[in-house]
Amino acid sequence: MRIVSRKTLREFWERHPDARHPLQAWYEDTKRAEWNSPADIKRVYRNASLLPNNRVVFNIKGNDYRLVAAVQYAHCIVYVRFIGAHREYDRIDAVTI
């Protein structure tokens, strides 16, 4: 998968160093992945939440943080739309972000 944007992840882990290794691991796993459907994601990330509008919520660092991605399966692209703590996540609409 092609991931847009690594810069968002890097900026987050610079502010939250404890998230660096989990985010780097997610990035590497996702980069090597071949997701053709939401079921492909669920096989690897059982705790991921599948939302309308091709949004997926990943739990990062033992669920300390949440990452919202928009996935375009046909084009093999994952757009990082949000990364933050639960209280920040609660203030967004993950379906439309």
Side-chain angles (χ1 to χ4, degrees), residues 40-93:
D40 293 337
I41 295 172
K42 287 298 270 189
R43 273 193 279 283
V44 177
Y45 293 99
R46 296 181 193 272
N47 293 327
S49 298
L50 304 175
L51 303 178
N53 205 17
N54 287 327
R55 297 300 197 268
V56 182
V57 180
F58 296 92
N59 297 319
I60 303 294
K61 194 184 168 278
N63 208 17
D64 286 351
Y65 303 107
R66 291 199 169 169
L67 185 151
V68 178
V71 182
Q72 285 191 356
Y73 299 98
H75 301 289
C76 299
I77 301 173
V78 176
Y79 296 93
V80 176
R81 305 299 296 155
F82 169 85
I83 178 75
H86 281 270
R87 69 179 166 276
E88 297 163 319
Y89 173 82
D90 290 341
R91 292 191 293 247
I92 67 161
D93 180 359

Short mmCIF file of all heavy atoms in Angstrom, two decimals, residues 40-93:
data_model
loop_
_atom_site.label_atom_id
_atom_site.label_comp_id
_atom_site.label_asym_id
_atom_site.label_seq_id
_atom_site.Cartn_x
_atom_site.Cartn_y
_atom_site.Cartn_z
N ASP A 40 -9.43 -7.81 4.51
CA ASP A 40 -7.97 -7.98 4.53
C ASP A 40 -7.35 -7.27 5.73
O ASP A 40 -6.42 -7.77 6.35
CB ASP A 40 -7.34 -7.46 3.24
CG ASP A 40 -7.72 -8.28 2.02
OD1 ASP A 40 -8.09 -9.46 2.18
OD2 ASP A 40 -7.67 -7.73 0.90
N ILE A 41 -7.87 -6.11 6.05
CA ILE A 41 -7.37 -5.36 7.21
C ILE A 41 -7.72 -6.10 8.49
O ILE A 41 -6.88 -6.26 9.38
CB ILE A 41 -7.95 -3.93 7.23
CG1 ILE A 41 -7.44 -3.15 6.02
CG2 ILE A 41 -7.58 -3.22 8.53
CD1 ILE A 41 -8.09 -1.79 5.84
N LYS A 42 -8.96 -6.57 8.61
CA LYS A 42 -9.40 -7.25 9.82
C LYS A 42 -8.63 -8.54 10.08
O LYS A 42 -8.47 -8.94 11.23
CB LYS A 42 -10.90 -7.55 9.76
CG LYS A 42 -11.77 -6.33 9.94
CD LYS A 42 -11.58 -5.69 11.29
CE LYS A 42 -12.53 -6.26 12.31
NZ LYS A 42 -12.52 -5.52 13.58
N ARG A 43 -8.13 -9.18 9.05
CA ARG A 43 -7.34 -10.41 9.25
C ARG A 43 -6.05 -10.10 10.01
O ARG A 43 -5.57 -10.92 10.77
CB ARG A 43 -7.01 -11.06 7.91
CG ARG A 43 -8.09 -11.99 7.42
CD ARG A 43 -7.59 -12.84 6.26
NE ARG A 43 -7.62 -12.17 4.98
CZ ARG A 43 -8.72 -11.99 4.26
NH1 ARG A 43 -9.88 -12.42 4.70
NH2 ARG A 43 -8.66 -11.38 3.10
N VAL A 44 -5.50 -8.93 9.79
CA VAL A 44 -4.24 -8.55 10.43
C VAL A 44 -4.48 -7.73 11.70
O VAL A 44 -3.84 -7.93 12.71
CB VAL A 44 -3.35 -7.76 9.44
CG1 VAL A 44 -2.06 -7.30 10.12
CG2 VAL A 44 -3.04 -8.59 8.22
N TYR A 45 -5.41 -6.78 11.61
CA TYR A 45 -5.71 -5.88 12.73
C TYR A 45 -7.12 -6.17 13.23
O TYR A 45 -8.07 -5.50 12.86
CB TYR A 45 -5.59 -4.42 12.28
CG TYR A 45 -4.18 -4.01 11.93
CD1 TYR A 45 -3.75 -3.97 10.62
CD2 TYR A 45 -3.28 -3.66 12.94
CE1 TYR A 45 -2.45 -3.60 10.30
CE2 TYR A 45 -1.98 -3.30 12.63
CZ TYR A 45 -1.57 -3.27 11.31
OH TYR A 45 -0.28 -2.90 11.00
N ARG A 46 -7.24 -7.18 14.06
CA ARG A 46 -8.56 -7.61 14.54
C ARG A 46 -9.29 -6.54 15.33
O ARG A 46 -10.51 -6.50 15.35
CB ARG A 46 -8.42 -8.87 15.38
CG ARG A 46 -7.92 -10.05 14.60
CD ARG A 46 -7.83 -11.30 15.46
NE ARG A 46 -7.08 -12.34 14.81
CZ ARG A 46 -7.60 -13.22 13.98
NH1 ARG A 46 -8.87 -13.18 13.71
NH2 ARG A 46 -6.83 -14.14 13.43
N ASN A 47 -8.54 -5.64 15.97
CA ASN A 47 -9.16 -4.58 16.76
C ASN A 47 -9.43 -3.31 15.97
O ASN A 47 -9.94 -2.34 16.52
CB ASN A 47 -8.30 -4.24 17.99
CG ASN A 47 -8.25 -5.38 18.97
OD1 ASN A 47 -9.23 -6.11 19.12
ND2 ASN A 47 -7.13 -5.57 19.63
N ALA A 48 -9.10 -3.31 14.70
CA ALA A 48 -9.39 -2.14 13.87
C ALA A 48 -10.90 -1.99 13.73
O ALA A 48 -11.63 -2.98 13.65
CB ALA A 48 -8.74 -2.28 12.51
N SER A 49 -11.36 -0.76 13.72
CA SER A 49 -12.78 -0.47 13.54
C SER A 49 -13.01 -0.03 12.10
O SER A 49 -12.38 0.93 11.63
CB SER A 49 -13.24 0.62 14.50
OG SER A 49 -13.07 0.20 15.83
N LEU A 50 -13.91 -0.71 11.42
CA LEU A 50 -14.25 -0.37 10.05
C LEU A 50 -15.45 0.55 10.07
O LEU A 50 -16.48 0.23 10.65
CB LEU A 50 -14.57 -1.64 9.25
CG LEU A 50 -13.46 -2.69 9.25
CD1 LEU A 50 -13.94 -3.95 8.54
CD2 LEU A 50 -12.20 -2.15 8.60
N LEU A 51 -15.30 1.72 9.45
CA LEU A 51 -16.34 2.73 9.45
C LEU A 51 -16.82 2.98 8.02
O LEU A 51 -16.15 2.61 7.06
CB LEU A 51 -15.80 4.04 10.04
CG LEU A 51 -15.21 3.98 11.44
CD1 LEU A 51 -14.68 5.34 11.84
CD2 LEU A 51 -16.23 3.48 12.44
N PRO A 52 -17.98 3.63 7.89
CA PRO A 52 -18.42 4.02 6.54
C PRO A 52 -17.38 4.94 5.88
O PRO A 52 -16.49 5.48 6.53
CB PRO A 52 -19.72 4.78 6.80
CG PRO A 52 -20.20 4.29 8.13
CD PRO A 52 -18.95 4.00 8.91
N ASN A 53 -17.57 5.12 4.58
CA ASN A 53 -16.71 6.02 3.81
C ASN A 53 -15.26 5.50 3.73
O ASN A 53 -14.32 6.29 3.65
CB ASN A 53 -16.77 7.44 4.38
CG ASN A 53 -16.44 8.49 3.35
OD1 ASN A 53 -16.46 8.24 2.16
ND2 ASN A 53 -16.13 9.69 3.81
N ASN A 54 -15.10 4.17 3.81
CA ASN A 54 -13.78 3.51 3.74
C ASN A 54 -12.79 4.02 4.78
O ASN A 54 -11.59 4.07 4.53
CB ASN A 54 -13.18 3.63 2.34
CG ASN A 54 -13.89 2.73 1.35
OD1 ASN A 54 -14.37 1.65 1.71
ND2 ASN A 54 -13.99 3.17 0.12
N ARG A 55 -13.31 4.39 5.94
CA ARG A 55 -12.44 4.81 7.05
C ARG A 55 -12.15 3.61 7.94
O ARG A 55 -13.01 2.75 8.15
CB ARG A 55 -13.08 5.91 7.89
CG ARG A 55 -13.36 7.21 7.16
CD ARG A 55 -12.08 7.82 6.62
NE ARG A 55 -12.22 9.21 6.26
CZ ARG A 55 -12.54 9.66 5.06
NH1 ARG A 55 -12.78 8.83 4.09
NH2 ARG A 55 -12.62 10.95 4.82
N VAL A 56 -10.93 3.58 8.46
CA VAL A 56 -10.52 2.53 9.39
C VAL A 56 -9.85 3.21 10.58
O VAL A 56 -9.02 4.10 10.40
CB VAL A 56 -9.53 1.54 8.73
CG1 VAL A 56 -9.16 0.43 9.70
CG2 VAL A 56 -10.12 0.97 7.45
N VAL A 57 -10.21 2.77 11.78
CA VAL A 57 -9.60 3.29 13.00
C VAL A 57 -8.69 2.20 13.55
O VAL A 57 -9.14 1.08 13.84
CB VAL A 57 -10.65 3.69 14.06
CG1 VAL A 57 -9.96 4.22 15.31
CG2 VAL A 57 -11.61 4.72 13.49
N PHE A 58 -7.40 2.52 13.67
CA PHE A 58 -6.41 1.60 14.21
C PHE A 58 -6.06 2.03 15.62
O PHE A 58 -5.88 3.23 15.89
CB PHE A 58 -5.13 1.63 13.36
CG PHE A 58 -5.32 1.15 11.95
CD1 PHE A 58 -5.61 2.04 10.94
CD2 PHE A 58 -5.19 -0.20 11.65
CE1 PHE A 58 -5.77 1.60 9.63
CE2 PHE A 58 -5.35 -0.64 10.35
CZ PHE A 58 -5.64 0.25 9.34
N ASN A 59 -5.93 1.07 16.52
CA ASN A 59 -5.47 1.34 17.87
C ASN A 59 -3.95 1.26 17.86
O ASN A 59 -3.37 0.27 17.40
CB ASN A 59 -6.04 0.32 18.85
CG ASN A 59 -7.54 0.41 18.92
OD1 ASN A 59 -8.10 1.50 18.92
ND2 ASN A 59 -8.21 -0.72 18.96
N ILE A 60 -3.32 2.31 18.35
CA ILE A 60 -1.86 2.41 18.35
C ILE A 60 -1.35 2.43 19.79
O ILE A 60 -1.93 3.08 20.65
CB ILE A 60 -1.41 3.71 17.63
CG1 ILE A 60 -1.96 3.77 16.20
CG2 ILE A 60 0.11 3.86 17.66
CD1 ILE A 60 -1.43 2.72 15.24
N LYS A 61 -0.26 1.71 20.01
CA LYS A 61 0.39 1.63 21.33
C LYS A 61 -0.59 1.17 22.40
O LYS A 61 -0.85 1.87 23.37
CB LYS A 61 1.04 2.95 21.71
CG LYS A 61 2.00 2.78 22.89
CD LYS A 61 2.57 4.10 23.33
CE LYS A 61 3.27 3.94 24.65
NZ LYS A 61 2.41 3.97 25.79
N GLY A 62 -1.10 -0.02 22.20
CA GLY A 62 -2.00 -0.59 23.21
C GLY A 62 -3.24 0.23 23.42
O GLY A 62 -3.75 0.32 24.53
N ASN A 63 -3.71 0.88 22.37
CA ASN A 63 -4.92 1.70 22.40
C ASN A 63 -4.73 3.04 23.12
O ASN A 63 -5.70 3.68 23.50
CB ASN A 63 -6.10 0.92 22.99
CG ASN A 63 -7.43 1.39 22.46
OD1 ASN A 63 -7.49 2.07 21.43
ND2 ASN A 63 -8.48 1.05 23.15
N ASP A 64 -3.48 3.48 23.30
CA ASP A 64 -3.25 4.81 23.86
C ASP A 64 -3.60 5.89 22.84
O ASP A 64 -3.99 6.99 23.19
CB ASP A 64 -1.78 5.00 24.26
CG ASP A 64 -1.42 4.25 25.53
OD1 ASP A 64 -2.34 3.72 26.21
OD2 ASP A 64 -0.22 4.19 25.86
N TYR A 65 -3.41 5.56 21.56
CA TYR A 65 -3.67 6.51 20.48
C TYR A 65 -4.54 5.85 19.43
O TYR A 65 -4.60 4.64 19.33
CB TYR A 65 -2.35 6.96 19.83
CG TYR A 65 -1.39 7.57 20.81
CD1 TYR A 65 -0.24 6.89 21.21
CD2 TYR A 65 -1.62 8.83 21.35
CE1 TYR A 65 0.64 7.45 22.11
CE2 TYR A 65 -0.74 9.39 22.26
CZ TYR A 65 0.39 8.70 22.64
OH TYR A 65 1.25 9.25 23.55
N ARG A 66 -5.18 6.69 18.64
CA ARG A 66 -6.00 6.20 17.53
C ARG A 66 -5.55 6.86 16.23
O ARG A 66 -5.29 8.05 16.20
CB ARG A 66 -7.47 6.49 17.78
CG ARG A 66 -7.99 5.65 18.92
CD ARG A 66 -9.46 5.58 18.89
NE ARG A 66 -9.89 4.56 19.83
CZ ARG A 66 -11.13 4.41 20.19
NH1 ARG A 66 -12.07 5.18 19.69
NH2 ARG A 66 -11.46 3.46 21.03
N LEU A 67 -5.49 6.04 15.21
CA LEU A 67 -5.12 6.50 13.88
C LEU A 67 -6.32 6.24 12.96
O LEU A 67 -6.81 5.13 12.91
CB LEU A 67 -3.90 5.74 13.38
CG LEU A 67 -3.29 6.17 12.06
CD1 LEU A 67 -1.80 5.87 12.06
CD2 LEU A 67 -3.94 5.50 10.88
N VAL A 68 -6.77 7.29 12.29
CA VAL A 68 -7.86 7.16 11.34
C VAL A 68 -7.26 7.24 9.94
O VAL A 68 -6.54 8.19 9.63
CB VAL A 68 -8.94 8.25 11.52
CG1 VAL A 68 -10.04 8.10 10.48
CG2 VAL A 68 -9.51 8.22 12.93
N ALA A 69 -7.58 6.26 9.13
CA ALA A 69 -7.10 6.23 7.76
C ALA A 69 -8.27 6.09 6.80
O ALA A 69 -9.26 5.43 7.11
CB ALA A 69 -6.13 5.06 7.56
N ALA A 70 -8.14 6.73 5.66
CA ALA A 70 -9.08 6.54 4.55
C ALA A 70 -8.37 5.63 3.56
O ALA A 70 -7.24 5.90 3.16
CB ALA A 70 -9.43 7.87 3.91
N VAL A 71 -9.03 4.55 3.19
CA VAL A 71 -8.39 3.55 2.33
C VAL A 71 -9.08 3.53 0.97
O VAL A 71 -10.30 3.41 0.88
CB VAL A 71 -8.45 2.15 2.97
CG1 VAL A 71 -7.74 1.14 2.08
CG2 VAL A 71 -7.85 2.17 4.36
N GLN A 72 -8.28 3.66 -0.07
CA GLN A 72 -8.77 3.48 -1.44
C GLN A 72 -8.22 2.14 -1.92
O GLN A 72 -7.08 2.04 -2.38
CB GLN A 72 -8.30 4.61 -2.35
CG GLN A 72 -9.02 5.90 -2.13
CD GLN A 72 -8.71 6.90 -3.22
OE1 GLN A 72 -7.90 6.68 -4.11
NE2 GLN A 72 -9.39 8.04 -3.15
N TYR A 73 -9.05 1.11 -1.76
CA TYR A 73 -8.61 -0.25 -2.05
C TYR A 73 -8.21 -0.42 -3.51
O TYR A 73 -7.20 -1.07 -3.81
CB TYR A 73 -9.71 -1.24 -1.66
CG TYR A 73 -10.03 -1.19 -0.19
CD1 TYR A 73 -11.12 -0.47 0.28
CD2 TYR A 73 -9.24 -1.85 0.73
CE1 TYR A 73 -11.41 -0.41 1.63
CE2 TYR A 73 -9.51 -1.81 2.09
CZ TYR A 73 -10.61 -1.07 2.53
OH TYR A 73 -10.88 -1.01 3.88
N ALA A 74 -8.97 0.14 -4.43
CA ALA A 74 -8.71 -0.04 -5.86
C ALA A 74 -7.37 0.55 -6.30
O ALA A 74 -6.75 0.06 -7.24
CB ALA A 74 -9.84 0.58 -6.68
N HIS A 75 -6.93 1.59 -5.60
CA HIS A 75 -5.69 2.26 -5.96
C HIS A 75 -4.54 1.96 -5.00
O HIS A 75 -3.45 2.52 -5.14
CB HIS A 75 -5.91 3.77 -6.04
CG HIS A 75 -6.95 4.15 -7.04
ND1 HIS A 75 -6.75 4.05 -8.39
CD2 HIS A 75 -8.21 4.60 -6.88
CE1 HIS A 75 -7.84 4.42 -9.03
NE2 HIS A 75 -8.75 4.77 -8.13
N CYS A 76 -4.81 1.12 -3.99
CA CYS A 76 -3.79 0.72 -3.00
C CYS A 76 -3.19 1.92 -2.28
O CYS A 76 -1.97 2.02 -2.12
CB CYS A 76 -2.69 -0.11 -3.66
SG CYS A 76 -3.31 -1.64 -4.38
N ILE A 77 -4.05 2.84 -1.84
CA ILE A 77 -3.59 4.04 -1.14
C ILE A 77 -4.26 4.12 0.23
O ILE A 77 -5.47 3.89 0.36
CB ILE A 77 -3.91 5.31 -1.93
CG1 ILE A 77 -3.24 5.27 -3.31
CG2 ILE A 77 -3.46 6.56 -1.16
CD1 ILE A 77 -3.64 6.41 -4.22
N VAL A 78 -3.46 4.45 1.24
CA VAL A 78 -3.95 4.69 2.60
C VAL A 78 -3.61 6.13 2.95
O VAL A 78 -2.44 6.51 2.95
CB VAL A 78 -3.28 3.72 3.61
CG1 VAL A 78 -3.73 4.04 5.02
CG2 VAL A 78 -3.59 2.27 3.24
N TYR A 79 -4.64 6.91 3.22
CA TYR A 79 -4.46 8.30 3.62
C TYR A 79 -4.58 8.41 5.13
O TYR A 79 -5.61 8.06 5.69
CB TYR A 79 -5.53 9.20 2.98
CG TYR A 79 -5.48 9.26 1.49
CD1 TYR A 79 -6.24 8.40 0.71
CD2 TYR A 79 -4.66 10.19 0.85
CE1 TYR A 79 -6.20 8.46 -0.67
CE2 TYR A 79 -4.61 10.25 -0.54
CZ TYR A 79 -5.38 9.39 -1.28
OH TYR A 79 -5.33 9.44 -2.66
N VAL A 80 -3.53 8.88 5.79
CA VAL A 80 -3.60 9.13 7.23
C VAL A 80 -4.40 10.41 7.42
O VAL A 80 -3.97 11.49 7.01
CB VAL A 80 -2.19 9.24 7.85
CG1 VAL A 80 -2.28 9.60 9.32
CG2 VAL A 80 -1.41 7.96 7.64
N ARG A 81 -5.56 10.29 8.03
CA ARG A 81 -6.44 11.44 8.21
C ARG A 81 -6.35 12.04 9.61
O ARG A 81 -6.63 13.21 9.80
CB ARG A 81 -7.89 11.04 7.93
CG ARG A 81 -8.12 10.40 6.57
CD ARG A 81 -7.77 11.33 5.43
NE ARG A 81 -8.67 12.47 5.49
CZ ARG A 81 -8.41 13.66 5.00
NH1 ARG A 81 -7.28 13.89 4.38
NH2 ARG A 81 -9.27 14.63 5.11
N PHE A 82 -5.96 11.22 10.60
CA PHE A 82 -5.90 11.70 11.98
C PHE A 82 -5.06 10.73 12.80
O PHE A 82 -5.11 9.53 12.59
CB PHE A 82 -7.33 11.75 12.57
CG PHE A 82 -7.36 11.98 14.04
CD1 PHE A 82 -7.31 13.26 14.56
CD2 PHE A 82 -7.44 10.92 14.93
CE1 PHE A 82 -7.32 13.47 15.93
CE2 PHE A 82 -7.46 11.12 16.29
CZ PHE A 82 -7.40 12.40 16.79
N ILE A 83 -4.31 11.28 13.75
CA ILE A 83 -3.66 10.50 14.80
C ILE A 83 -3.73 11.31 16.07
O ILE A 83 -3.45 12.51 16.06
CB ILE A 83 -2.20 10.11 14.44
CG1 ILE A 83 -1.51 9.33 15.55
CG2 ILE A 83 -1.38 11.30 14.05
CD1 ILE A 83 -1.94 7.93 15.69
N GLY A 84 -4.18 10.69 17.16
CA GLY A 84 -4.29 11.42 18.41
C GLY A 84 -4.74 10.53 19.56
O GLY A 84 -5.03 9.35 19.38
N ALA A 85 -4.78 11.13 20.73
CA ALA A 85 -5.25 10.43 21.93
C ALA A 85 -6.78 10.30 21.88
O ALA A 85 -7.44 10.94 21.06
CB ALA A 85 -4.82 11.21 23.17
N HIS A 86 -7.31 9.50 22.76
CA HIS A 86 -8.76 9.24 22.78
C HIS A 86 -9.58 10.52 22.92
O HIS A 86 -10.58 10.68 22.23
CB HIS A 86 -9.12 8.27 23.90
CG HIS A 86 -8.83 6.86 23.55
ND1 HIS A 86 -9.75 6.05 22.94
CD2 HIS A 86 -7.71 6.12 23.68
CE1 HIS A 86 -9.22 4.86 22.74
NE2 HIS A 86 -7.98 4.88 23.18
N ARG A 87 -9.17 11.40 23.79
CA ARG A 87 -9.98 12.63 23.99
C ARG A 87 -9.97 13.50 22.74
O ARG A 87 -10.95 14.16 22.44
CB ARG A 87 -9.54 13.39 25.23
CG ARG A 87 -8.19 14.03 25.15
CD ARG A 87 -7.84 14.80 26.43
NE ARG A 87 -6.44 15.13 26.44
CZ ARG A 87 -5.47 14.33 26.83
NH1 ARG A 87 -5.76 13.13 27.27
NH2 ARG A 87 -4.21 14.71 26.79
N GLU A 88 -8.88 13.47 21.98
CA GLU A 88 -8.84 14.20 20.71
C GLU A 88 -9.70 13.49 19.67
O GLU A 88 -10.41 14.13 18.90
CB GLU A 88 -7.40 14.31 20.21
CG GLU A 88 -6.51 15.11 21.13
CD GLU A 88 -5.03 14.87 20.86
OE1 GLU A 88 -4.62 13.72 20.63
OE2 GLU A 88 -4.29 15.87 20.89
N TYR A 89 -9.63 12.17 19.66
CA TYR A 89 -10.44 11.37 18.74
C TYR A 89 -11.93 11.60 18.99
O TYR A 89 -12.72 11.68 18.04
CB TYR A 89 -10.10 9.89 18.90
CG TYR A 89 -10.99 8.97 18.12
CD1 TYR A 89 -10.78 8.74 16.77
CD2 TYR A 89 -12.06 8.33 18.74
CE1 TYR A 89 -11.60 7.89 16.04
CE2 TYR A 89 -12.90 7.49 18.02
CZ TYR A 89 -12.66 7.27 16.68
OH TYR A 89 -13.49 6.44 15.97
N ASP A 90 -12.30 11.74 20.24
CA ASP A 90 -13.71 11.95 20.59
C ASP A 90 -14.26 13.27 20.04
O ASP A 90 -15.47 13.43 19.93
CB ASP A 90 -13.91 11.91 22.10
CG ASP A 90 -13.71 10.51 22.67
OD1 ASP A 90 -13.78 9.53 21.90
OD2 ASP A 90 -13.47 10.40 23.90
N ARG A 91 -13.39 14.20 19.67
CA ARG A 91 -13.83 15.51 19.17
C ARG A 91 -13.93 15.56 17.64
O ARG A 91 -14.29 16.59 17.08
CB ARG A 91 -12.87 16.60 19.64
CG ARG A 91 -12.93 16.83 21.14
CD ARG A 91 -12.19 18.08 21.54
NE ARG A 91 -10.76 17.95 21.32
CZ ARG A 91 -9.83 17.91 22.27
NH1 ARG A 91 -10.19 17.95 23.53
NH2 ARG A 91 -8.57 17.81 21.96
N ILE A 92 -13.59 14.46 16.97
CA ILE A 92 -13.65 14.46 15.50
C ILE A 92 -14.76 13.55 15.01
O ILE A 92 -15.27 12.72 15.77
CB ILE A 92 -12.30 14.03 14.88
CG1 ILE A 92 -12.03 12.56 15.19
CG2 ILE A 92 -11.17 14.94 15.31
CD1 ILE A 92 -11.02 11.90 14.29
N ASP A 93 -15.11 13.70 13.76
CA ASP A 93 -16.01 12.75 13.10
C ASP A 93 -15.14 11.89 12.19
O ASP A 93 -14.74 12.32 11.11
CB ASP A 93 -17.07 13.51 12.30
CG ASP A 93 -18.03 12.57 11.59
OD1 ASP A 93 -17.86 11.33 11.69
OD2 ASP A 93 -18.95 13.07 10.93
#
